[in-house]
Amino acid sequence: MELTNEYLLGIQKKVEEKNPSEVEFHQAAKEVLMSLQPVVEKDSKYIESGVIERIVEPERQIMFRVPWVDDNGKIQVNRGFRVQFNSAIGPYKGGLRFHPTVNLGVIKFLGFEQIFKNSLTTLPMGGGKGGSDFDPKGKSEGEIMRFCQSFMTELYRHIGPDTDVPAGDINVGGREIGYMFGQYKRITNTFAGVLTGKGLTFGGSLARTEATGYGLCYFTENMLNANGKSFKGQTVVISGSGNVAIYAHQKATELGAKVVAMCDSNGYIYDKNGIDLDAIKQIKEVERKRIKEYLNYHADAEYHEGCKGIWTVPCDIALPSATQNEIDEESAKILAANGCYCVSEGSNMSSTPGAIEVYFANNMLYGPAKAANAGGVAVSGLEMSQNSERLSWSFEEVDNKLKDIMKNIFDNCDEKSKMYGMPGNYMAGANIAGFLKVADAMIAQAN
Ligand code: NDP
C-alpha cells in the first residue's frame, strides 16, 4: 500500500517537518494515514473538519527531570515523559516504559497508536503514553524503588482517575506500579484508581497480568478461525520473555499449539520439544535472570546469541512480543520462506513497513498490534471500572469479558476492511475502525 492521497501526503509532510528526527512517530502516523485514504475519499467531512490535522498533534506533552540517588550515594538524572495525546473518548490511558531507548519520538508513536487501540476496545479511554530513558538492568531493588518514587514525584500532578491513568509497559510491571502507586498516595493523601496493573491487595484486577498475552491469542484465534485455521497443532515462535510473551505462550499452548522459541535482548532459545513455561517463569519472573539460563533446565535446548535469529526458526505462526520494528523485511522474507503464514503482534509496531509489505505479498494473515495486543489496555479499562465501583470481579468474569472484547475487535477490523474495499487487510480495518469513533467525537466536541 502506498500513501498517494494529496491531502494526506500534505499532513504526513507536516508531521515530519514539525517533529524532526521522531522517526518512529513518522512511521506510525504514515501507516494510519495510508489506511485512511478510502475514508477521506468516501466522506469529505473528515477533510473539511480538519480532524486529521488535529489527531496527529498531541493535546499535551510533558518532559521532566527525574533525579535519584544510586547505591553509592551519587545523584543520577534521567528524563521522564508523559504524552497526553487524545482525550476525545475518555481520560488519557496508556503505559509507562522504562528503557534506555526511550525518547520523545518513541513515546509519541506509542501514544498515537494508543488512541486507536483504546477506541477499538469500545471502552471510554483516550490515548497517552509515558516513560523514561532509565535502564533498570543491573540496578538494585532500592535503586528501582527510588527511581519510581522520584518519577511519580513529578508525574502525580499531571494524572488522576478522571484525567490520565498510566499503566505498565516494558520494564514496568507489578513491582514498579506498586512503588509509583505508593508514592502517589503519600503525596496526594488519596487512595485513587490512578494507575492500572496494581497489586491484587490494593485495587488491581484479576487477569490483568495475563491480559495482553491472552488477548493476543484470542484475537489471533478469531483471525485464524475466520480463515479456516486455528492454533491447534501449530508451531509457534514468540519473541521476548516478558509479560506479554509469557502469557501468550500459556494461552497458545492451552489452545493446542507448541511454542518452540523465545528470546530476550541478548539471545534466543530453541527447544524442539516445546518451551517449558515454568522454567521461563522461574528465570524471568522470580530470578530476573537471562534466558540463557534455560539451558540449566533443559540441556538439550539450543541458545543463540542475538535476538534477530529467532525469526529463522521455522514456524506456522509468529507472535512478536518484545519491541518495535523487531521484524524487518529480511526477517519477514525468511519467515515466509519457512512456511509461516500468520504474524500477529504482541509488541507495539512489531513490524517495519517493509516487513508488512512481505506479509501482504505472501498472503499471510497479519494481526496488527493496535488490535491484537489491545487486551492489556482493555482489562486496564475493566480495572478502572472495578475501582470506580469499589468491587473486584472474578478471574472468569474478567477473562470472559476479555474474550468478548477481542472477538469484537476482530469482527470490527474484518468488517471495516471489507466495507472500505480491502478485505483481509486487518491493519487498515483496525486503523479505520479506531479512527472513526475518535474522529466523530472530536468533531462533535470541536476540539
Ligand atoms: P517486559 O518488560 O515484560 O518484557 C519485554 C521483553 O522484550 C523482554 O524479554 C525484553 O528482553 C525484550 N525486549 C525489550 N526491549 C528489547 C529490545 N530493544 N530488543 C530486544 N528485546 C527487547 O515488557 P512487556 O512484555 O510488557 O512488553 C512487550 C511489548 O508488548 C512492548 O512492545 C509493549 O509496548 C507491548 N505491550 C505491552 C502491554 C502490556 O500490558 N504489558 C500491552 C500492550 C502492548 P530484556 O529483558 O533482555 O530487556
Side-chain angles (χ1 to χ4, degrees):
M1 206 198 280
E2 285 287 315
L3 180 56
T4 51
N5 178 284
E6 284 294 319
Y7 170 71
L8 295 172
L9 268 171
I11 295 183
Q12 178 67 21
K13 189 162 171 271
K14 267 198 208 143
V15 165
E16 293 179 14
E17 281 169 4
K18 283 175 85 174
N19 307 282
S21 78
E22 295 177 7
V23 287
E24 291 87 357
F25 178 44
H26 303 167
Q27 182 184 338
K30 192 169 181 183
E31 185 204 290
V32 170
L33 295 179
M34 238 163 28
S35 301
L36 293 182
Q37 296 183 109
V39 177
V40 299
E41 280 154 19
K42 196 167 177 177
D43 191 342
S44 61
K45 94 171 167 197
Y46 295 113
I47 297 182
E48 284 149 18
S49 62
V51 72
I52 305 178
E53 280 98 330
R54 287 185 261 154
I55 211 167
V56 295
E57 187 70 26
E59 288 175 16
R60 190 175 299 106
Q61 51 192 44
I62 303 148
M63 286 169 63
F64 51 98
R65 179 170 67 200
V66 189
W68 55 280
V69 181
D70 69 17
D71 286 347
N72 299 318
K74 195 167 174 289
I75 302 261
Q76 301 286 342
V77 181
N78 285 96
R79 183 170 286 180
F81 302 87
R82 186 72 186 165
V83 173
Q84 299 178 329
F85 225 117
N86 195 297
S87 61
I89 62 167
Y92 309 108
K93 180 93 197 88
L96 298 170
R97 175 178 294 191
F98 294 167
H99 198 272
T101 56
V102 162
N103 57 43
L104 186 60
V106 168
I107 298 298
K108 273 164 80 171
F109 114 67
L110 290 162
F112 182 67
E113 297 225 315
Q114 200 81 43
I115 304 170
F116 307 97
K117 181 189 310 197
N118 293 3
S119 162
L120 282 170
T121 66
T122 71
L123 301 174
M125 299 180 290
K129 199 84 187 187
S132 173
D133 58 1
F134 173 72
D135 185 0
K137 271 206 190 79
K139 302 291 189 300
S140 70
E141 189 78 25
E143 288 175 326
I144 286 173
M145 179 190 74
R146 291 193 292 280
F147 174 80
C148 289
Q149 290 175 336
S150 180
F151 184 83
M152 184 52 84
T153 302
E154 171 60 31
L155 186 69
Y156 89 94
R157 71 189 80 245
H158 307 291
I159 62 175
D162 296 317
T163 312
D164 184 354
V165 185
D169 190 79
I170 292 178
N171 290 325
V172 179
R175 174 180 64 174
E176 291 75 17
I177 293 288
Y179 294 146
M180 287 190 274
F181 182 78
Q183 186 72 352
Y184 181 88
K185 191 166 58 68
R186 280 162 94 187
I187 297 175
T188 62
N189 195 27
T190 50
F191 192 104
V194 72
L195 291 163
T196 57
K198 298 184 291 297
L200 295 177
T201 52
F202 53 96
S205 173
L206 285 162
R208 174 61 187 90
T209 306
E210 294 82 357
T212 310
Y214 278 23
L216 169 63
C217 292
Y218 295 148
F219 177 91
T220 308
E221 184 73 345
N222 276 289
M223 177 168 72
L224 291 166
N225 290 170
N227 291 277
K229 298 191 168 359
S230 83
F231 267 113
K232 205 166 175 48
Q234 304 300 286
T235 300
V236 175
V237 165
I238 303 179
S239 63
S241 46
N243 173 259
V244 179
I246 285 177
Y247 294 96
H249 178 311
Q250 189 161 307
K251 187 52 71 178
T253 307
E254 267 177 49
L255 292 170
K258 181 160 86 170
V259 179
V260 295
M262 290 179 89
C263 70
D264 61 19
S265 58
N266 291 103
Y268 73 94
I269 46 164
Y270 168 67
D271 188 339
K272 62 178 184 318
N273 301 316
I275 287 187
D276 169 3
L277 191 60
D278 289 339
I280 295 286
K281 283 186 172 177
Q282 179 64 25
I283 297 163
K284 288 292 172 185
E285 292 186 335
V286 181
E287 296 168 13
R288 296 180 188 271
K289 288 191 174 156
R290 310 312 302 158
I291 206 161
K292 194 178 183 176
E293 301 280 325
Y294 187 83
L295 297 184
N296 296 334
Y297 295 79
H298 296 276
D300 54 341
E302 294 172 23
Y303 174 76
H304 299 271
E305 282 292 328
C307 33
K308 201 177 163 190
I310 195 168
W311 308 119
T312 64
V313 175
C315 64
D316 303 305
I317 298 167
L319 303 177
S321 302
T323 193
Q324 66 269 11
N325 290 328
E326 53 178 314
I327 306 186
D328 60 12
E329 187 176 340
E330 185 193 1
S331 296
K333 283 183 177 158
I334 296 171
L335 280 167
N338 284 338
C340 172
Y341 65 82
C342 172
V343 177
S344 201
E345 298 180 333
S347 48
N348 287 305
M349 204 163 78
S350 322
S351 311
T352 65
I356 297 170
E357 287 295 326
V358 173
Y359 307 152
F360 288 133
N362 287 277
N363 290 320
M364 291 161 76
L365 297 175
Y366 171 48
K370 280 184 197 82
N373 73 21
V377 73
V379 173
S380 277
L382 301 179
E383 183 173 330
M384 289 164 72
S385 303
Q386 293 170 78
N387 291 166
S388 307
E389 287 187 327
R390 301 196 187 279
L391 286 176
S392 308
W393 303 338
S394 70
F395 189 98
E396 289 66 34
E397 212 172 339
V398 179
D399 192 32
N400 285 334
K401 286 188 201 300
L402 172 63
K403 271 183 207 155
D404 286 348
I405 290 171
M406 298 315 293
K407 178 173 187 326
N408 191 35
I409 292 177
F410 173 74
D411 290 346
N412 199 359
C413 296
D414 190 34
E415 182 198 300
K416 295 297 183 301
S417 75
K418 289 174 179 151
M419 196 185 281
Y420 286 88
M422 296 174 278
N425 183 340
Y426 307 121
M427 176 184 82
N431 288 330
I432 294 170
F435 168 80
L436 290 175
K437 180 175 170 191
V438 177
D440 290 343
M442 289 172 73
I443 293 170
Q445 294 171 26
N447 62 30

